């Protein structure tokens, strides 16, 4: 299992930010020919031809996933290209993969945030949706709050440019009704371009688990949240009960590998989910980590016997 360690924020060669995606190509591809193939696709994904994504998917499959998950300095160089590859079908996959539960879990997140915002006596609230993907939570929060909170701004941040491109397409198309409130950008959830104490609510759906160092991501959330602000996270967790952990991860591994092969001819692009959970922490450990880094946990809603949890924590 991964040991979470704190890294110096000022390290000059820390490359898991992807804020300048193409500029990072020389770093991400250094020393491994398969990574060079991946970066060639992801740095130019807006104009890539139809064969680029399959090439990137196959290149990911040639890498040692366990080694990348265990190394915070290399993890993002696997995760970001992977999400670039799967972005076009990611939402469909999560619905099918979870037997529709993913949509219900996200409705719970949106409900918690909307109630908090509508009941708070604060003008012009700022919501930050980290690892926003194609915008489900950011768009959902903006629509749920609607005109009930003047000046609401929702900023979605994701390391995958393909994810943020698709979120932008939604805001220009089917979700244009909230385009004035929701803004999407590419960035690093562990190193945000956001002032300390300036955010009212942070949401993150399946985000912290995919961060190179989950503790750094939590610390950064604590930095940008104001006192009393909410940190609302939804994620898969490593069950503490051995038998259930083996069963859950076994299903996720088998189903992910099957879909990865069927859709991309690369099992790892969806088979990644099970190992990422096994390298993560239990929901109980996550609760303790929140307490250790400036939060008070208000509530924890659990599903799948603790394999999935929704934490609502307050910045103290």
């Amino acid at each position: 299992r991964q040991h979470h360690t704190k890294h110096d924020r000022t390290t000059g060669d820390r490359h898991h930010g992807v804020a300048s995606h193409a500029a990072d190509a020389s770093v991400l591809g250094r020393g491994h020919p398969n990574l060079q193939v991946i970066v060639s696709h992801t740095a130019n994904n807006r104009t890539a031809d139809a064969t680029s994504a399959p090439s990137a998917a196959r290149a990911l499959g040639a890498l040692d996933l366990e080694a990348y998950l265990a190394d915070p300095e290399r993890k993002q160089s696997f995760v970001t290209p992977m999400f670039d590859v799967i972005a076009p079908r990611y939402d469909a996959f999560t619905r099918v993969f979870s037997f529709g539960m993913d949509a219900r879990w996200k409705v719970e997140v949106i409900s918690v945030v909307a109630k908090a915002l509508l009941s708070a006596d604060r003008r012009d609230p700022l919501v930050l949706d980290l690892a926003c993907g194609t915008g489900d939570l950011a768009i959902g929060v903006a629509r749920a709050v609607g005109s009930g909170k003047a000046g609401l701004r929702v900023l979605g941040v994701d390391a995958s440019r393909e994810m943020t491109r698709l979120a932008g397409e939604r805001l220009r198309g089917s979700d244009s009704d909230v385009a004035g409130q929701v803004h999407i950008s590419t960035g690093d959830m562990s190193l945000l371009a956001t002032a300390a104490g300036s955010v009212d609510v942070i949401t993150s759906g399946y985000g912290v688990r995919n961060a190179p160092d989950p503790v750094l991501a939590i610390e950064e959330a604590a930095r940008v949240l104001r006192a009393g602000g909410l940190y609302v996270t939804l994620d898969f967790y490593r069950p503490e009960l051995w038998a259930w952990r083996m069963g859950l991860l076994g299903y996720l591994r088998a189903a992910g590998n099957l879909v990865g092969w069927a859709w991309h001819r690369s099992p790892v692009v969806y088979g990644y989910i099970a190992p990422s959970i096994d390298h993560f922490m239990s929901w109980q450990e996550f609760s303790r980590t929140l307490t250790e880094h400036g939060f008070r946990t208000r509530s924890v809603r659990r599903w799948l016997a603790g394999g999935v949890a929704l934490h609502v924590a307050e910045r103290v």
Side-chain angles (χ1 to χ4, degrees):
R1 294 185 55 203
Q2 178 176 339
H3 296 284
H4 307 300
T5 57
K6 183 174 180 180
H7 299 289
D8 185 352
R9 292 181 184 277
T10 63
T11 301
D13 62 353
R14 182 166 161 262
H15 60 258
H16 60 260
V18 243
S20 177
H21 200 85
D24 287 344
S26 62
V27 177
L28 299 182
R30 184 180 302 153
H32 202 300
N34 289 309
L35 274 181
Q36 292 168 5
V37 173
I38 297 166
V39 169
S40 176
H41 161 64
T42 57
N44 301 285
N45 56 21
R46 294 175 188 241
T47 58
D49 63 35
T51 64
S52 296
S55 297
R58 287 192 296 271
L60 284 165
L63 302 178
D64 183 346
L65 174 59
E66 291 292 332
Y68 277 78
L69 288 175
D71 184 355
E73 293 299 326
R74 292 198 294 167
K75 181 178 176 181
Q76 195 73 61
S77 65
F78 185 99
V79 172
T80 300
M82 180 194 70
F83 277 109
D84 281 337
V85 167
I86 68 176
R89 302 173 90 169
Y90 176 76
D91 291 334
F93 170 77
T94 57
R95 302 296 189 266
V96 173
F97 194 65
S98 66
F99 299 98
M101 291 183 286
D102 166 74
R104 297 195 294 273
W105 298 335
K106 287 179 177 176
V107 167
E108 292 269 1
V109 173
I110 291 165
S111 176
V112 167
V113 174
K115 287 177 183 177
L117 290 171
L118 290 171
S119 63
D121 185 22
R122 288 182 63 85
R123 295 179 57 84
D124 306 325
L126 174 60
V127 176
L128 202 55
D129 182 26
L130 302 178
C132 67
T134 63
D136 276 357
L137 293 181
I139 290 167
V141 167
R143 186 168 289 129
V145 174
S147 59
K149 181 62 66 172
L152 171 69
R153 295 168 295 149
V154 183
L155 175 61
V157 178
D158 201 289
S160 165
R161 288 202 175 195
E162 187 64 9
M163 286 289 191
T164 57
R165 183 185 69 80
L166 292 170
E169 285 187 357
R170 289 180 62 176
L171 291 169
R172 291 187 295 272
S174 60
D175 297 296
S176 60
D177 58 305
V178 295
Q181 296 167 295
V182 180
H183 305 276
I184 304 293
S185 65
T186 306
D188 181 357
M189 68 186 297
S190 300
L191 193 65
L192 297 165
T194 307
S198 64
V199 178
D200 294 280
V201 176
I202 290 177
T203 59
S204 184
Y206 317 123
V208 180
R209 170 174 48 88
N210 291 314
D213 185 334
V215 172
L216 264 185
I218 292 169
E219 288 179 343
E220 185 68 344
R223 183 186 71 82
V224 302
L225 269 172
R226 64 170 178 82
L230 292 185
Y231 189 29
V232 185
T233 62
L234 172 68
D235 220 323
F236 282 92
Y237 292 93
R238 187 177 191 270
E240 291 191 339
L241 184 64
W242 179 87
W244 174 233
R245 181 168 70 246
M246 293 299 100
L248 178 63
L249 297 187
Y251 161 73
L252 294 174
R253 184 175 288 105
N257 285 340
L258 179 62
V259 174
W261 173 254
W263 288 2
H264 299 284
R265 292 297 184 265
S266 178
V268 74
V269 294
Y270 286 114
Y272 158 89
I273 295 173
S276 75
I277 296 169
D278 205 24
H279 279 260
F280 195 34
M281 61 183 87
S282 67
W283 70 264
Q284 297 96 324
E285 289 177 284
F286 189 78
S287 297
R288 290 192 291 269
T289 304
L290 289 173
T291 301
E292 292 165 359
H293 292 86
F295 291 97
R296 178 177 65 84
T297 299
R298 285 189 178 182
S299 65
V300 184
R301 179 82 186 274
R302 300 182 298 279
W303 297 275
L304 301 180
V308 174
L310 164 59
H311 285 75
V312 180
E314 179 183 344
R315 181 71 169 98
V316 295

